[in-house]
Every structure is written in C-alpha cells, then in structure tokens.
Amino acid sequence: MQPVFFISHGGGPWPWIQQWEQSYSKLRTSLHNIPSLLEFQPKVILMISAHWITRGGLGIMNNPRPPMLYDYYGFPPYTYSIHYNAPGHPQFAKTLNSHLKSYGFETSFDSERGLDHGAFVPLAVAFPEAQIPVVQLSIEASFDPNYHLALGEALKPLRGEGVLIIGSGLTFHNMHLFNPEGSQPSEEFDAWLQDSLIGKTYEQRKQSLINWEMAPSARVCHPLEDHLIPLMVAVGAAGSDEAQLNYYEQSAMGGVTVSGYKFG
C-alpha cells in the first residue's frame, strides 16, 4: 500500500528562481526524497492542492494532457512558460468519479483546468521525469474539516491500488506574516500540529483537526484555511498509519516554522 504525504509546495515557482536555491534547499531535499520512500512506482499520482477550490462539490481533472495554470503573480516572465508534461489519466479519473459518488460525494469532471502551482511545482522536484500520470482533485469551498476528513477516508482504498495520494498546502499561510513576526505563532501552531499527528490514533488526529481553530495561534497562521485542508484529506486517507515528519524548517520563507508529513 502506498504511503500518503502532506507536503509544502513553497512560494510560487521557487525551483526556477536561482536566487532562492539556498533558502529552499531543505524543502527541495524533502521533495526529492519522496520516490525513495515508496516501495514501488505509483500507477497514478492523485494531487489535492490548496489552489483548486470548488463550491458545492468536487472537481476531477480528466484531460489526458493536462495544461498548465500559472496561478502566481509578479514573477519573471520565463516562469510563465514552465512545462510539467506529466500525462493525465482519464480512465482513473472516471474510476475516481464513480468511487467518490458511491461514498455520497458530488463530483464533476474538468477537462480544461490546468495543473496549478500547488501541483506542478512540487512534482517537478519530486518526479522531474514527469512520466507518472497525474490527476488533480479539488477541495470544497466550505473548508469543512469533517467533509475533508471523510473525503480522505473515501480515498484510502485507492492506496492499495497503486495510487499515491499527496495533499499539497502549507502548515503556515498568512501572506502578511512571512517575516520574523510570523516566527512565534508559526512555531506554536506547528508544535501543536506535530503533537496532534505523531504517535496518535486516527480518532485522536481527527478530533484535533476538527477543532483546529482552538490550537495556539491557529487563526493567525491560517486566516483562511485553504492551505490546511489538504492535510485533512491526507490524514483521512492515512487512517492510523504512523505519521512522521518528512520536512521541518524553522526559518522558512522569511522566518516561519513549517512542516510536512509522511503517513505509512
């Protein structure tokens, strides 16, 4: 059975920004190491990115050749011609659609939307050959923890069919505090998060995440919880599988504490 990951996708097109190479070295290493942590090559990668949000149901990409979506702003012109040429997998998208409907989720196909930077940026580091098919699944705009934990639970059986499930977001996402002012709140929230996930049963993790707003500095770290929601999907898909830090940094992106996790 494939493990499940919750990863940080970093800021914008960071792997292609030369002057950021040193500051992103720890994140790059953590992503680069993902293939070595798998027992076998995935048949398909299912990406749940913080940057695809749908309302009233879930979107499933089913384009056999997913286009690119450059959903970042103010970067050098060449970063808007980056290509990550992994194929899609329409047959898996069809299977995923039927599977989620059987669990009561409303779904729809999207054949036009491209891979967003929450998907193609980390994948370009982890799987640069771009040979493994990629399908993106959206998160739902209510950001309901119960809904997204249940979504992860529904996805869990797919792990036994060679599907690699990756939630892509950030454990800290306050655009005004990617600086030393964000240091203490991010450290407090990250300590709570590690304590909530590592060495805990699924029910314990679930209750912590349902009540995440009660965590220290929760709303300072996540004024909008879009970048936390993919973690909830990953936790649901992981069940009680062992959680371990796959990435940890105390001075990321201007001075904040961030982390990433491997389950199973």
Side-chain angles (χ1 to χ4, degrees), residues 251-264:
S251 57
M253 292 175 280
V256 300
T257 297
V258 289
S259 56
Y261 296 86
K262 171 183 177 285
F263 301 90

Side-chain angles (χ1 to χ4, degrees), residues 206-224:
K206 185 174 180 178
Q207 288 307 309
S208 291
L209 291 177
I210 288 170
N211 298 305
W212 74 273
E213 289 180 278
M214 298 174 64
S217 301
R219 277 298 178 187
V220 176
C221 296
H222 293 279
L224 186 68

Side-chain angles (χ1 to χ4, degrees), residues 41 48 54 105 111 123 135 137 139 141 145 149 167 176 197 229 245:
Q41 180 167 296
I48 299 97
T54 51
F105 290 94
S111 60
L123 288 178
V135 171
L137 173 67
I139 57 175
L149 286 159
H176 300 291
L197 299 179
I229 290 298
L245 278 175

Side-chain angles (χ1 to χ4, degrees), residues 48-85:
I48 299 97
S49 165
H51 289 279
W52 189 14
I53 302 168
T54 51
R55 187 172 298 279
L58 300 166
I60 300 172
M61 287 175 52
N62 67 340
N63 193 318
R65 285 287 170 188
M68 304 294 290
L69 177 59
Y70 305 112
D71 55 339
Y72 41 72
Y73 308 94
F75 291 94
Y78 68 86
T79 64
Y80 297 88
S81 58
I82 293 165
H83 286 279
Y84 185 71
N85 293 320

Side-chain angles (χ1 to χ4, degrees), residues 19-39:
Q19 59 265 40
W20 287 0
E21 186 170 346
Q22 184 59 41
S23 60
Y24 274 98
S25 61
K26 289 185 178 180
L27 179 56
R28 182 185 294 275
T29 297
S30 74
L31 296 172
H32 180 75
N33 287 342
I34 287 177
S36 69
L37 302 174
L38 308 177
E39 292 187 10

